[in-house]
Amino acid sequence: MTEAQNNAKNEEYIDSLKDEISYLREILASKLFEEDNLINFTCREIETDYSLKFGVYKYKIKDYKLKIKKTKRTIEMIKKMVNQQSSNQFNKELSDLEENQIKINKTKINKPKINMSEIESHIENEFKEEDLELQTETAKVNILIEEHKNNLSKKQDFKQLHSIYKECIRKIHPDLLLEPTDYEENLFYSSKEAYEDRDLEELKSTQNLINRHEIENQPKTVEDFERLRNKLEINIELEDKEISSIVNSKPYTQQKFLLDTKKVNNYREGLVTSLLEVEKEYIKINKDLTELKKENNLSYRLDLTKNNSNE
């Protein structure tokens, strides 16, 4: 075979690779957009719907449950400290004490001194992570509800946002390029951030930069084209797994349930019942704590440090 024939064969093979790559790029671009759209629109809308229907009830229940845990722990610590101090202070059997001494021991003066500030500080540290988790969940629910209100007031049409973002993916997504530069990656992730923020003007601005940019590392040799084809095939497989993971997990799997009015109402009624139950439990346990404080003269915070400094 002559050199001209080899060159012609290579050109023919490269043309076939180009066609294959063009086809694979279109498939991958479509899947990449599908994933981002699922995460930033479909799933976010499902989360918002769930939060509007149940969010307030759920975080109020968690709040009461955490308060109950803290209160029980406070009671436990007070009792433990009372018992320890009583044991150290009274080393005789009550039966050995005279009647007048027994009366003295029951007065406020002789009751064990408990530093409530110290206990409360300990409780705060012990439940710090759970407090943070609850605050994070509460903030997330409130953000979703606020976003929903803003979207209703703006009445935004996202068709143009979706269309522009699809073009940004096709032109400069790193998974579609042979060897993306740092600048090209930054350009794409700027468009992605604008899409996630639903900022149409910022996305348009980034699109203009992308349209003016010429991709630097274009495939030239047979090896380059084969490498890009293999990269696209691998990324398509990975993207299929990502999409499958999204549609087979929450919040996407809650979509069907949220559309069932009967199930939604039954679940909400169950949450209301649970909320009333934990509220009653908290009232009861808080009453127990109040009585324990009263019994041991702890109805106020005793700052022992301050007392000691005055002596």
Side-chain angles (χ1 to χ4, degrees):
M1 186 180 293
T2 65
E3 184 177 345
Q5 288 175 321
N6 278 330
N7 290 337
K9 189 174 181 180
N10 280 342
E11 288 297 325
E12 185 180 342
Y13 180 50
I14 287 177
D15 286 341
S16 69
L17 284 173
K18 285 180 179 179
D19 290 340
E20 190 176 359
I21 285 168
S22 177
Y23 174 71
L24 292 173
R25 280 173 59 90
E26 195 59 36
I27 291 175
L28 182 55
S30 177
K31 291 181 183 294
L32 289 165
F33 174 76
E34 182 182 357
E35 182 192 2
D36 283 349
N37 183 255
L38 278 170
I39 292 171
N40 297 293
F41 282 81
T42 305
C43 288
R44 192 186 293 188
E45 286 162 10
I46 294 169
E47 282 185 307
T48 300
D49 191 21
Y50 188 90
S51 295
L52 289 168
K53 289 181 168 74
F54 314 119
V56 174
Y57 300 109
K58 295 198 82 169
Y59 78 65
K60 281 186 176 180
I61 289 170
K62 285 191 174 183
D63 185 38
Y64 272 120
K65 285 183 175 180
L66 184 55
K67 285 178 179 177
I68 290 167
K69 285 174 72 174
K70 287 181 177 180
T71 307
K72 286 182 175 179
R73 182 72 175 118
T74 303
I75 290 172
E76 179 187 333
M77 290 187 70
I78 290 173
K79 286 182 176 180
K80 184 176 180 181
M81 292 180 78
V82 167
N83 290 335
Q84 286 176 347
Q85 292 190 22
S86 296
S87 176
N88 294 335
Q89 186 174 353
F90 308 115
N91 51 17
K92 295 183 179 181
E93 294 291 332
L94 285 178
S95 58
D96 295 334
L97 298 175
E98 294 186 7
E99 187 175 344
N100 288 339
Q101 187 64 42
I102 293 173
K103 290 179 181 178
I104 292 173
N105 288 342
K106 290 182 178 179
T107 65
K108 292 181 180 180
I109 297 172
N110 284 307
K111 283 187 177 291
K113 291 182 179 180
I114 305 297
N115 189 338
M116 283 305 299
S117 295
E118 184 181 323
I119 289 177
E120 289 168 6
S121 177
H122 180 89
I123 294 295
E124 185 179 337
N125 288 328
E126 185 174 333
F127 291 92
K128 186 183 291 184
E129 288 187 9
E130 290 181 62
D131 272 327
L132 181 60
E133 184 180 335
L134 179 62
Q135 289 170 16
T136 303
E137 288 185 21
T138 303
K140 185 177 180 180
V141 168
N142 290 333
I143 288 169
L144 288 170
I145 292 173
E146 193 62 32
E147 277 185 358
H148 176 71
K149 290 178 181 177
N150 291 337
N151 290 336
L152 285 178
S153 63
K154 292 177 183 177
K155 295 181 180 179
Q156 289 177 284
D157 184 354
F158 294 116
K159 288 180 182 177
Q160 191 177 11
L161 188 81
H162 295 323
S163 177
I164 293 174
Y165 184 57
K166 282 180 183 177
E167 286 305 309
C168 291
I169 289 175
R170 286 191 182 100
K171 290 180 179 178
I172 207 166
H173 195 292
D175 288 354
L176 298 173
L177 304 180
L178 179 62
E179 292 177 349
T181 63
D182 289 343
Y183 177 69
E184 287 163 352
E185 288 186 350
N186 288 335
L187 271 181
F188 171 72
Y189 286 113
S190 292
S191 72
K192 182 180 175 70
E193 185 176 347
Y195 180 71
E196 290 172 357
D197 293 340
R198 307 183 181 197
D199 188 337
L200 181 58
E201 294 308 310
E202 181 64 26
L203 185 59
K204 284 180 178 179
S205 176
T206 306
Q207 184 191 32
N208 288 334
L209 292 174
I210 291 172
N211 288 340
R212 291 200 297 267
H213 175 73
E214 186 174 340
I215 302 300
E216 294 185 22
N217 298 318
Q218 295 282 17
K220 298 179 179 64
T221 66
V222 170
E223 289 75 16
D224 287 344
F225 283 105
E226 287 179 335
R227 189 151 54 91
L228 179 56
R229 178 196 60 190
N230 294 339
K231 177 182 178 179
L232 293 171
E233 288 176 339
I234 290 169
N235 285 334
I236 287 172
E237 288 182 15
L238 293 174
E239 205 56 35
D240 281 335
K241 290 178 182 178
E242 289 294 328
I243 293 170
S244 177
S245 176
I246 292 169
V247 299
N248 287 296
S249 59
K250 292 181 180 180
Y252 191 87
T253 53
Q254 294 172 317
Q255 190 173 34
K256 187 177 178 180
F257 162 71
L258 290 168
L259 294 173
D260 191 321
T261 305
K262 185 177 179 180
K263 287 183 178 179
V264 165
N265 290 337
N266 288 339
Y267 186 56
R268 188 187 288 115
E269 287 175 11
L271 289 174
V272 172
T273 301
S274 296
L275 179 56
L276 292 173
E277 288 174 354
V278 291
E279 187 177 16
K280 287 178 183 177
E281 185 180 354
Y282 174 66
I283 291 170
K284 180 183 178 301
I285 197 73
N286 198 47
K287 183 180 177 183
D288 292 342
L289 176 59
T290 302
E291 290 175 355
L292 182 62
K293 285 181 176 182
K294 186 177 179 181
E295 180 185 333
N296 291 278
N297 303 315
L298 302 172
S299 55
Y300 62 93
R301 291 187 180 187
L302 181 60
D303 189 345
L304 292 181
T305 305
K306 184 176 179 181
N307 289 345
N308 292 335
S309 64
N310 291 335
E311 288 178 356

